[in-house]
Amino acid sequence: MGASLPALVRRPAVLWSALAVALAAAVVTVLIVVPGGSSADGDYRDADLPTADRVADLLGRMTMEEKVGQMTQATVAAVDPAPADLADLGIGSLLNGGSEALRDTPEAWAEMIDGYQRQALESRLGIPIVYGIDAVHGNAGLPGAVIFPHNIGLGAAHDPDLAGRAAAITAAETRAAGIHWTFAPCVCVARDSRWGRTYESYGEDPGIAIEYAPAVVAGYQGEDLAANTSVLATAKHYVGDGGTGYGTSTTDSYQLDQGVVAIGEEELRAIHLAPFQAAVDAGVGSVMASFSSVDLGEGPLKTHADEYLLTDVLKGELGFEGFVISDWQGVDQISSDYAEAVRTAINAGVDMVMVPFEYQKFIDTLLAEVEAGRVSEERIDDAVSRILTQKFALGLFEQPYADTSGAADVGSDAHRAVAREAAAASQVLLRNEGDLLPLTGDESIYVAGSGADALGRQLGGWSGTWQGTVQAVNEGTSILAGIEEVAPGAAITYSEDASEPIGAADVGIVVVAEDPYAEGVGDAGAGTHDMKVSEEDAAAIATVCAAVDCVVIVVSGRPIEIEPHLEGVDALVAAWLPGSEGAGVADPLFGATPYGGTLPVTWPKLVEDEPVNVGDAEYDPLFPYGFGLTT
Ligand code: GLC
């Protein structure tokens, strides 16, 4: 038998000894590698393994401290002074609240987030963080990003495919900045337009949100959540946030937001739960619990504390396999006894807590509750498994750092064209005496009103900052600039308060507007936002419309009390919050596109008529749900 082996090893005894040494060395090698594992088979770092196996392997390696760390979401402002906490505490997620940590470019965002990611990867098991933001109508934390109409405008366009395309562009412009997760879409169903979050709803009929959810979730999450054009989506706020009773909120000066939903389980399911079934069926990876409470007959219960709704219904009945994120300090609202609040929320089915400031206190509290046996290890393992599953799907273990190759497309003409298309499609023509519209574009036009040249007003809340600002953070074109672009042959005079002589103008355009707001700050009766036309805008309407044929355009997050001001108004348009592309408002005005939008919410005669919804026994609005003239 040919001596292919060296003489020394041909003797069986020596051969087996050599093999034993080699085998032992191999076993020792596997055992002494970094506990985080290597790419050896059966190891969570092995990207070829099924996700469930990777999750199981990683979970099996984690200490309870590391597991609880993964259930912790901190805000950048809290972690920034102590970034080492990310590794030391194994914090699972970061977010920046609506008004903090803004960066001017995708690269600057990516640099910031990657810096935190590097810290996180120093942890024993090297589990990456997932970074979330409220990119609810574009990546509005990025000045150059495209800003789409808020959901109420998209609902008016009755075009789920368009809403899906808007979500896909938002996802690309968000991931290009190194951000992995958006807290959108709100699949809320606004039933009282006095609610400051009405504009985050697609409309008062759950059928719109049900129709839109699949396209929007697919738009955000794409075919592959790991792609640099996809982000994890969040269906929010579970459940019934748009169905609260006026005056039931106990938060700040809010009236509706974070209030109590007491409409009975059948109506809760039909109106507010159904859109979540659509989002879950579409594969949404996260759901955000609502600040509001639901009263099913035994008194109000905070949804963050509601095991029936969060676990039995959402995870059991609806089959939700992603993870539930709390809202901002939403857990704290459950009880003044923080330990009770924490264990109640986790046992109810909250998987990750948007603490977001005192994260060490949260971690210590939850660990103590587990230690005491008041929160089971099984519940912790379930929560962490859900979180890790999404992190693996996002590709964060393979690509933990930003891929900014899409940064060149942020704010591109192609993206802005879609936002302009969406703005145009969202316009609802409510009156058109004498077929005044569309204009020819050769007229002498007098433009007035607080919304004509105020980009911040057409963007609304969640734009650059939490509440939005009249002087916009984000780039875009005002409605006035849009008119000038679409009708270059028109002779335009602009005077916000209509103090300039109207002269021989052929037609007047008065753009009235709400100032931006977000959440309960915008609740009518909570503060300065009263759903009424301002004195200045009312005066501008009266001046202009008494002198010439006039169009009134309403820039608002919801129907406002316009009836008292309609004397002499020839045409009336609901523009909603059209976003960064003001030309989209001008396009149908001059016939570049047709008017085709319809009301996604009932337009009442008076604010005090709210709540008023299609299907009400007594229904006598100024303009009914579904109304819209065409041209
Ligand atoms: C807010 C909102 C929620 C948002 C979260 C993070 O309070 O209720 O919609 O996603 O905090 O900003």
Side-chain angles (χ1 to χ4, degrees):
M1 175 172 189
S4 57
L5 288 172
L8 179 62
V9 298
R10 269 182 290 164
R11 297 203 329 251
V14 172
L15 177 60
W16 285 119
S17 302
L19 283 175
V21 168
L23 182 61
V27 169
V28 167
T29 302
V30 169
L31 287 178
I32 62 173
V33 295
V34 172
S38 62
S39 58
D41 289 347
D43 180 288
Y44 68 96
R45 290 178 185 276
D46 180 353
D48 294 331
L49 275 182
T51 297
D53 295 352
R54 300 179 76 181
V55 169
D57 176 69
L58 178 50
L59 198 66
R61 299 167 186 263
M62 295 171 76
T63 64
M64 185 52 70
E65 288 74 13
E66 290 164 333
K67 292 175 181 177
V68 169
Q70 283 302 303
M71 297 169 68
T72 308
Q73 183 182 61
T75 188
V76 164
V79 161
D80 194 48
D85 282 354
L86 288 169
D88 297 346
L89 302 173
I91 288 172
S93 177
L94 283 180
L95 87 154
N96 57 281
S99 298
E100 62 179 20
L102 301 183
R103 292 295 186 277
D104 288 340
T105 65
E107 292 80 4
W109 270 103
E111 182 185 357
M112 174 186 77
I113 295 168
D114 283 354
Y116 292 124
Q117 191 68 286
R118 259 188 296 282
Q119 295 281 348
L121 295 178
E122 290 297 312
S123 61
R124 184 178 73 91
L125 295 169
I127 303 174
I129 55 168
V130 57
Y131 194 102
I133 198 170
D134 290 282
V136 299
H137 65 140
N139 180 8
L142 188 56
V146 176
I147 309 298
F148 290 91
H150 268 294
N151 286 354
I152 194 168
L154 295 177
H158 45 83
D159 186 341
D161 174 69
L162 180 56
R165 287 189 284 138
I169 289 170
T170 297
E173 297 200 354
T174 300
R175 196 72 181 262
I179 300 166
H180 317 114
W181 176 17
T182 181
F183 306 125
C186 189
V187 292
C188 45
V189 181
R191 301 290 289 174
D192 185 327
S193 294
R194 292 173 292 183
W195 187 34
R197 307 198 77 159
T198 295
Y199 65 78
E200 295 185 66
S201 168
Y202 292 110
E204 67 188 36
D205 178 346
I208 305 176
I210 291 167
E211 186 185 21
Y212 276 46
V216 173
V217 168
Y220 283 127
Q221 298 190 158
E223 293 293 320
D224 175 8
L225 207 45
N228 73 330
T229 52
S230 298
V231 291
L232 179 66
T234 311
K236 71 182 187 182
H237 308 84
Y238 184 85
V239 63
D241 52 345
T244 57
Y246 191 85
T248 62
S249 179
T250 55
T251 302
D252 299 330
S253 61
Y254 299 180
Q255 295 296 331
L256 281 158
D257 196 38
Q258 309 189 17
V260 179
V261 190
I263 57 177
E265 183 163 355
E266 185 179 350
E267 197 169 334
L268 178 75
R269 285 175 171 269
I271 295 176
H272 302 285
L273 184 67
F276 283 93
Q277 181 70 74
V280 168
D281 291 349
V284 72
S286 69
V287 165
M288 186 179 290
S290 178
F291 284 123
S292 50
S293 303
V294 173
D295 182 351
L296 293 178
E298 297 173 4
L301 178 60
K302 278 285 181 185
T303 308
H304 279 74
D306 197 324
E307 183 173 0
Y308 170 65
L309 289 176
L310 284 175
T311 298
D312 300 347
V313 176
L314 176 62
K315 295 178 179 178
E317 193 180 320
L318 271 59
F320 177 58
E321 295 181 344
F323 66 90
V324 174
I325 175 81
S326 81
D327 206 332
W328 185 279
Q329 295 180 307
V331 170
D332 304 59
Q333 293 184 1
I334 294 171
S335 167
S336 55
D337 175 336
Y338 190 59
E340 178 186 16
V342 168
R343 71 172 167 269
T344 302
I346 303 304
N347 287 335
V350 172
D351 300 306
M352 181 184 282
V353 173
M354 187 186 293
V355 180
F357 296 105
E358 298 181 270
Y359 50 81
Q360 180 77 65
K361 176 184 173 187
F362 166 71
I363 290 170
D364 295 344
T365 303
L366 183 48
L367 285 172
E369 291 304 303
V370 174
E371 181 66 27
R374 293 187 288 264
V375 174
S376 71
E377 293 194 14
E378 290 71 26
R379 177 71 272 273
I380 299 294
D381 285 354
D382 172 52
V384 177
S385 296
R386 290 170 178 267
I387 294 164
L388 294 178
T389 298
Q390 297 306 319
K391 288 190 173 183
F392 281 119
L394 279 162
L396 293 177
F397 285 82
E398 285 68 51
Q399 170 73 46
Y401 299 114
D403 171 358
T404 58
S405 58
D409 295 331
V410 172
S412 67
D413 291 346
H415 289 179
R416 292 195 185 279
V418 178
R420 176 172 176 171
E421 177 191 349
S426 68
Q427 302 303 296
V428 182
L429 183 58
L430 298 172
R431 175 185 285 189
N432 194 17
E433 300 292 330
D435 291 338
L436 175 64
L437 297 183
L439 302 175
T440 64
D442 298 325
E443 297 93 346
S444 166
I445 302 175
Y446 188 95
V447 180
S450 67
D453 192 26
L455 186 58
R457 290 193 174 105
Q458 69 193 63
L459 298 178
W462 302 104
S463 303
T465 65
W466 176 44
Q467 290 291 314
T469 49
V470 173
Q471 296 309 317
V473 167
N474 304 93
E475 297 160 15
T477 50
S478 68
I479 293 168
L480 175 64
I483 291 169
E484 290 163 345
E485 177 186 334
V486 174
I492 294 171
T493 302
Y494 168 60
S495 173
E496 179 174 346
D497 62 0
S499 57
E500 290 296 313
I502 294 175
D506 300 312
V507 64
I509 299 175
V510 185
V511 187
V512 304
E514 287 190 295
D515 280 348
Y517 50 79
E519 302 191 45
V521 173
D523 283 359
T528 59
H529 305 284
D530 57 9
M531 289 173 72
K532 296 190 191 268
V533 177
S534 70
E535 285 180 19
E536 295 79 8
D537 279 346
I541 293 174
T543 301
V544 175
C545 298
V548 289
D549 289 345
C550 74
V551 188
V552 170
I553 297 175
V554 180
V555 172
S556 63
R558 55 197 167 182
I560 63 172
E561 192 170 282
I562 193 69
E563 189 190 33
H565 310 284
L566 290 181
E567 176 71 28
V569 173
D570 302 284
L572 177 65
V573 175
W576 313 111
L577 297 174
S580 59
E581 308 311 308
V585 176
D587 282 333
L589 207 54
F590 293 94
T593 60
Y595 279 104
T598 58
L599 289 180
V601 291
T602 299
W603 200 293
K605 288 177 176 146
L606 301 171
V607 175
E608 64 200 44
D609 296 343
E610 289 288 357
V612 54
N613 295 290
V614 61
D616 287 353
E618 291 184 29
Y619 190 67
D620 180 27
L622 182 62
F623 300 107
Y625 171 86
F627 179 77
L629 301 176
T630 57
T631 55

